[in-house]
Amino acid sequence: MDCSYFDAGRCTSCSLMGQPYSRQVADKQRHAEELLGPFDVPEWLPPIASAESGYRNKAKMVVGGTVDAPTIGILDADGHGIDLQACGICSPGHRAAFPVLARFITLARTAPYDVTRRTGELKHLIVTESPDGELMIRFVLRSTEPVGRIRKHLPALLAELPQTRVVTANVLPEHKAVLEGEHEIVLTDADTLPMRLNDVTMHLRPQSFFQTNTEIAAALYAEARDWIRDIAPDSAWDLYSGVGGFALHIAAGDDAGPEVTGIETSVEAVASAELSRSDAALSRLRFAAGDATTFAIEADAAPDLVIVNPPRRGIGGELSAWLEASTASHVLYSSCNVASLAKDLAAMPSLRPVRARVFDMFPQTTHFEVMVLLERGR
């Protein structure tokens, strides 16, 4: 993939831009095998490659410039906006929406936030596209002052982007380097974006995490379901469950499937997962808000299977120690950081790898997902 922004030095976020994609995938596979080499993984399945471009379902763009000439992209070192509306890793739906959103910023007189002067209102645009082409558009604002104007002119935006399902205003009053605030104002009738992966529909709420690459996420969940069917556990936990991707894929609508519990710190994500569970009528699946480690340590008994999909830091020493000492016969570990995965595996020597696979969730970057199935030694 070629990128004029990268070639011109305007954006270097995609550090592997310009490298042959086949080499990127091969290097990621090699890196994973090297770091997990000490654990003697008996079966490495071929890596799952992504589309090279247009793969992101979520665009997190900084708004700069002026109200009459806004930029949608990133900021340079001096805090000036760099426009990236044609970013090649964003989905076609994103790229079609950005010019409309730029015009809407002007129409609604919502001045971009000036980081150096700490003036203006609109900090970020967060746009998510579903597999069916529907959009969730979130305006991250310094205050509620522009909300009335956004609401007034919203019909014009919806007329130009009829595929838009959810529009919100997120309020981030603090001057700090975070993406969004805690307060969300929903401006449309709908407040969730259906994300249909495989035969499962997940309902994404505004502040819920979802895997960035829809195609690869679908492959990841389908593979997990296949591996888990071979195990046939009676009970399972999905820790760091997010909006329930793993749990919803392994749960069954009758008594034939395992009894599954999903645990996630984000209340918004749990609400999303519960809506999906209810719609699918999965009576043997439940979700709850809480800390994964605390939940495990305080539980009366371990399940047959524990699924963990932690953030980049991994599951950490305390949960690793609990898993090592538990009666769980299998662990399915999906990791976005193979280094922290290796550290956690070293703390669980009784749980031995059965198979592993790399999923290239982030083409043009050094990041990727790797999933490992662990089995307790007999």
Side-chain angles (χ1 to χ4, degrees):
M1 175 184 168
D2 295 318
C3 174
S4 60
Y5 298 130
F6 185 86
D7 292 342
R10 292 173 61 80
C11 176
T12 57
S13 298
C14 295
S15 59
L16 302 184
M17 187 64 69
Q19 291 189 16
Y21 184 55
S22 58
R23 191 174 88 195
Q24 293 183 33
V25 176
D27 287 347
K28 292 177 182 183
Q29 178 69 28
R30 188 178 307 110
H31 183 56
E33 290 187 17
E34 286 175 355
L35 286 188
L36 298 186
F39 307 102
D40 298 322
V41 180
E43 182 183 15
W44 276 100
L45 296 170
I48 300 294
S50 168
E52 295 184 44
S53 62
Y55 67 82
R56 286 194 68 96
N57 57 38
K58 185 176 185 178
K60 299 175 283 189
M61 310 297 267
V62 181
V63 181
T66 66
V67 70
D68 290 308
T71 61
I72 298 175
I74 59 175
L75 300 180
D76 66 15
D78 297 320
H80 301 132
I82 296 177
D83 196 80
L84 302 176
Q85 292 188 41
C87 174
I89 65 170
C90 290
S91 74
H94 290 140
R95 297 196 295 272
F98 291 149
V100 179
L101 289 167
R103 292 194 295 272
F104 182 77
I105 291 167
T106 302
L107 175 65
R109 309 309 294 173
T110 305
Y113 183 67
D114 188 314
V115 172
T116 57
R117 298 178 180 177
R118 303 194 183 189
T119 59
E121 286 290 341
L122 181 56
K123 296 183 174 183
H124 306 124
L125 280 171
I126 306 174
V127 184
T128 304
E129 184 178 22
S130 78
D132 296 317
E134 293 186 308
L135 298 177
M136 176 188 291
I137 300 171
R138 302 171 63 207
F139 296 89
V140 181
L141 308 168
R142 183 173 67 158
S143 75
T144 58
E145 188 274 332
V147 172
R149 295 191 301 279
I150 293 173
R151 196 187 297 273
K152 174 184 175 181
H153 295 288
L154 187 56
L157 177 63
L158 298 178
E160 281 206 76
L161 292 175
Q163 68 272 38
T164 301
R165 178 181 175 88
V166 182
V167 179
T168 73
N170 177 274
V171 184
L172 175 60
E174 299 87 0
H175 179 84
K176 58 183 180 180
V178 296
L179 184 64
E180 61 191 34
E182 296 180 1
H183 183 42
E184 199 91 26
I185 303 168
V186 179
L187 303 175
T188 46
D189 292 337
D191 62 358
T192 64
L193 184 68
M195 303 293 286
R196 182 178 48 81
L197 272 66
N198 305 313
D199 57 350
V200 172
T201 298
M202 286 166 276
H203 295 273
L204 186 64
R205 294 174 68 86
Q207 296 187 39
S208 300
F209 169 79
F210 194 81
Q211 296 283 8
T212 300
N213 188 323
T214 302
E215 175 190 5
I216 299 301
L220 178 75
Y221 294 142
E223 186 87 353
R225 178 159 57 186
D226 288 344
W227 291 4
I228 290 168
R229 278 175 176 165
D230 291 341
I231 300 169
D234 290 328
S235 57
W237 292 347
D238 180 7
L239 304 182
Y240 313 93
S241 58
V243 295
F246 286 103
L248 289 160
H249 273 79
I250 69 168
D254 53 35
D255 291 340
E259 186 172 347
V260 184
T261 299
I263 301 297
E264 167 60 41
T265 57
S266 167
V267 174
E268 283 288 299
V270 170
S272 297
E274 268 296 300
L275 178 58
S276 304
R277 181 205 61 77
S278 177
D279 279 0
L282 297 171
S283 60
R284 289 169 60 81
L285 169 62
R286 75 178 186 94
F287 294 96
D291 176 75
T293 301
T294 301
F295 172 81
I297 290 172
E298 294 181 353
D300 294 332
D304 299 329
L305 166 72
V306 178
I307 302 168
V308 292
N309 182 28
R312 289 190 60 78
R313 65 179 180 271
I315 64 175
E318 196 172 7
L319 183 53
S320 295
W322 182 89
L323 285 168
E324 170 65 13
S326 76
T327 58
S329 59
H330 290 86
V331 172
L332 184 77
Y333 195 135
S334 183
S335 169
C336 61
N337 182 0
V338 68
S340 61
L341 168 62
K343 182 178 179 180
D344 290 337
L345 292 186
M348 300 184 292
S350 296
L351 290 158
R352 300 170 183 171
V354 174
R355 66 179 68 98
R357 193 165 210 170
V358 166
F359 296 79
D360 191 16
M361 197 77 71
F362 310 98
Q364 318 307 332
T365 78
T366 58
H367 302 296
F368 59 92
E369 195 89 6
V370 60
M371 186 165 68
V372 181
L373 178 64
L374 308 172
E375 183 179 67
R376 191 168 298 280
R378 291 179 171 80

